[in-house]
Amino acid sequence: MTDGIIVNLPFIVSIRFFWLLSIGLQIAIPALAQQGGNRLLPTNDSAYEYILRLQRRGHLLDLNPTALPYQWGEITNAIHQVDTTRLSSSERHWMDLLQSRFQSQESTDEDIHVGYSMMGAVDLLNSERMDMVRPIGNDLNVYWHASLASAYLEAGPAVAELSVTHSNFYDQDPDGIDSALRLLARSEHSYVGFNQKWISAYIGRWNLHWGSSGQGSTILSDNARSRDQIFLRLGGRRASVTAILSELDSATDGRYYTGRAADDSVKFESTRRFHAAHRWDFRPSRKFMISFMESAIYSGPSSSISLRYLNPVNPFLFVVDNVPKNDDNNGFLAGLLWTQLNRWTIQGQLMVDDLRIQSNTGPETITFALTGSAVYALPSTDIKFTFETVSSRAYNAPQTEGQYIFLNRGIATQFSDYVHSSLSAEFYLDHRVPGLRMLPKIDLLYQGERDMRQPFPESSEVIENLLDGEANRTMRTSMSMMYQPVHWWWIGVDAGYNINRGESNQFIGLVSAGIKVNFDTSINLWDW
């Protein structure tokens, strides 16, 4: 009898603790409008494709088109605002896919939400690099990816999610440092968070992207591996301020990156690196938004989490070099504009890294990055033009530790010193074959010889501000197809021919497929 009491006492105490905690949360914190919706949807989730299509047609604009990831609850709320009786056949299919994913369960304010998901995907392509316009080699490569564990728990405004991702691309990525060890797995999407209407605070590891899904960003994109970070956001849909502070890998002896957050080996001195970014959004209407962004890499042998950089209303431009100054830093400023005019969706970003006067080589030069796109949306077709250009010195720095990279992957763009434009037409054939999309596309890339990982040029070294050296030109014509009749599986093909000036032409193709399984349930604490 005594043994039985000893065995069950911890369980009883745990139940009573969570029951009392839930009562406290209900008393102290108002119930959320989107109960059970504080999880973050990974930036590579296929749902963003359908959200983007609907946004181009004037729907789901309660969601910020240029700040990812979204929370599940805000997606659900945005879906509720759509009058589905006025949708076209293609729009209705996209909305059905989203509704089946995000409105699959009903719950009450007392519920704790628990669930898990599993994902498996594979990419087959005749290039080592996933970028089809900049391929490496011509051998067949097979990259597989799987979510080994993805589980979450939500209670009121609090949320926790754990995810372990396996991929053989971690150690085969031709650009990045191997970021996984045991079982080729790493935590890509694991965090704890608190979210209410006017405030969000998350800490953990996940990807952010300050731009529309699938398009470039000049300050923060999901190109780099996810990293450990603190996220704070204050405000609502019309105006908000966001602050991010993350830990990067360190630089050793000023020569190379270790792939470790800190390397205190005796042989080499380690310089710790951190990334901070602020964003101010102003959105006077659903169809117009302007944002100001700033970012900084700060570093030093004793650098650590800094409240100066985390403070969202502490502008780097004016105060980052004030005393006491304990770190070196490399800062960036950027502006973002997004607007929708009838059928047109237009957006652009401009980042300014530095303004230099080179008296020995000519006039002033501006270190910059520019991205933009214009999309004309027809009922079942999107005609899209994109443009990106990054100057030769952008994202570089005189100190190795100031380069704008993490694990050798760019925090904003992967490359510098290039001009890239594309023209495409996306045909949505849902009225004939639900879930089928065809995309003919033309890409034109001019790539210079400079790279953000190269040593910063000496003051006496003469380089072009854009397209330095002998620029390589690549024109790619391609046709891609995506088939996703339901939200939990898909298959895609991308086939194209690259015409390279000064190099051999080549066919580059990709076949991808994936499947995802979700399980969600709710527990009512009052029934315990």
Side-chain angles (χ1 to χ4, degrees), residues 152-450:
Y152 69 90
L153 182 148
E154 292 186 83
V159 61
E161 184 166 2
L162 179 151
S163 178
V164 177
T165 301
H166 160 81
S167 175
N168 70 328
F169 190 65
Y170 288 141
D171 72 334
Q172 298 185 42
D173 181 359
D175 299 306
I177 294 174
D178 185 5
S179 54
L181 183 60
R182 296 180 179 88
L183 299 178
L184 296 177
R186 77 188 300 262
S187 176
E188 290 281 11
H189 196 72
S190 300
Y191 57 87
V192 295
F194 177 94
N195 176 61
Q196 282 200 300
K197 184 176 182 181
W198 299 105
I199 182 171
S200 295
Y202 289 79
I203 182 170
R205 180 181 291 183
W206 71 97
N207 270 122
L208 295 107
H209 185 79
W210 285 356
S212 293
S213 178
Q215 299 189 30
S217 175
T218 61
I219 289 291
L220 186 62
S221 78
D222 56 3
N223 175 71
R225 300 281 179 254
S226 61
R227 51 200 176 274
D228 300 303
Q229 57 199 343
I230 301 171
F231 173 95
L232 298 175
R233 183 178 182 273
L234 303 172
R237 184 176 66 83
R238 291 189 178 274
S240 65
V241 56
T242 302
I244 297 164
L245 182 60
S246 61
E247 187 174 16
L248 306 179
D249 52 337
S250 64
T252 301
D253 199 28
R255 296 200 307 264
Y256 64 92
Y257 294 100
T258 66
R260 298 175 59 182
D263 188 343
D264 299 322
S265 64
V266 177
K267 186 176 180 180
F268 297 113
E269 179 184 2
S270 175
T271 302
R272 303 195 66 187
R273 307 169 63 240
F274 293 83
H275 172 242
H278 295 161
R279 172 171 173 160
W280 294 270
D281 289 334
F282 178 60
R283 196 175 182 186
S285 73
R286 288 162 54 91
K287 296 194 175 184
F288 179 82
M289 180 179 66
I290 187 169
S291 302
F292 297 97
M293 301 175 288
E294 61 179 3
S295 180
I297 299 286
Y298 71 92
S299 58
S302 60
S303 294
S304 62
I305 300 296
S306 172
L307 298 181
R308 172 189 295 189
Y309 289 93
L310 181 60
N311 182 356
V313 290
N314 188 29
F316 297 160
L317 176 64
F318 300 104
V319 304
V320 76
D321 288 325
N322 289 356
V323 294
K325 182 180 179 181
N326 302 315
D327 313 279
D328 292 320
N329 63 77
N330 184 22
F332 310 85
L333 295 175
L336 179 153
L337 175 69
W338 179 94
T339 187
Q340 201 167 80
L341 304 170
N342 297 321
R343 294 180 179 272
W344 287 97
T345 300
I346 301 171
Q347 61 179 306
Q349 295 187 32
L350 173 63
M351 181 279 292
V352 177
D353 184 353
D354 205 355
L355 178 65
R356 293 180 175 275
I357 299 177
Q358 295 180 314
S359 58
N360 60 328
T361 59
E364 298 180 352
T365 58
I366 300 176
T367 302
F368 70 94
L370 174 67
T371 69
S373 68
V375 181
Y376 188 75
L378 296 168
S380 58
T381 305
D382 283 341
I383 301 173
K384 178 180 177 183
F385 173 77
T386 67
F387 180 81
E388 294 183 19
T389 181
V390 180
S391 65
S392 58
R393 295 182 180 87
Y395 306 116
N396 203 337
Q399 304 84 18
T400 302
E401 58 269 22
Q403 294 171 351
Y404 207 59
I405 64 174
F406 172 61
L407 294 175
N408 221 41
R409 294 189 64 88
I411 296 173
T413 65
Q414 184 62 31
F415 304 96
S416 57
D417 196 20
Y418 71 88
V419 178
H420 181 195
S421 60
S422 69
L423 180 64
S424 62
E426 297 183 71
F427 297 99
Y428 309 117
L429 307 179
D430 303 278
H431 58 290
R432 296 184 179 275
V433 182
L436 181 62
R437 181 204 70 173
M438 305 295 290
L439 174 64
K441 185 178 181 182
I442 299 177
D443 288 274
L444 183 60
L445 170 69
Y446 287 88
Q447 179 67 62
E449 296 182 354
R450 293 294 303 177

Side-chain angles (χ1 to χ4, degrees), residues 117-164:
S117 65
M118 296 181 292
M119 181 275 294
V122 62
D123 298 313
L124 292 84
L125 69 160
N126 61 326
S127 168
E128 296 178 27
R129 183 181 285 154
M130 298 292 291
D131 187 342
M132 300 286 96
V133 186
R134 296 181 176 91
I136 295 179
N138 200 25
D139 296 330
L140 180 64
N141 292 275
V142 181
Y143 299 132
W144 60 80
H145 325 276
S147 177
L148 301 180
S150 183
Y152 69 90
L153 182 148
E154 292 186 83
V159 61
E161 184 166 2
L162 179 151
S163 178
V164 177

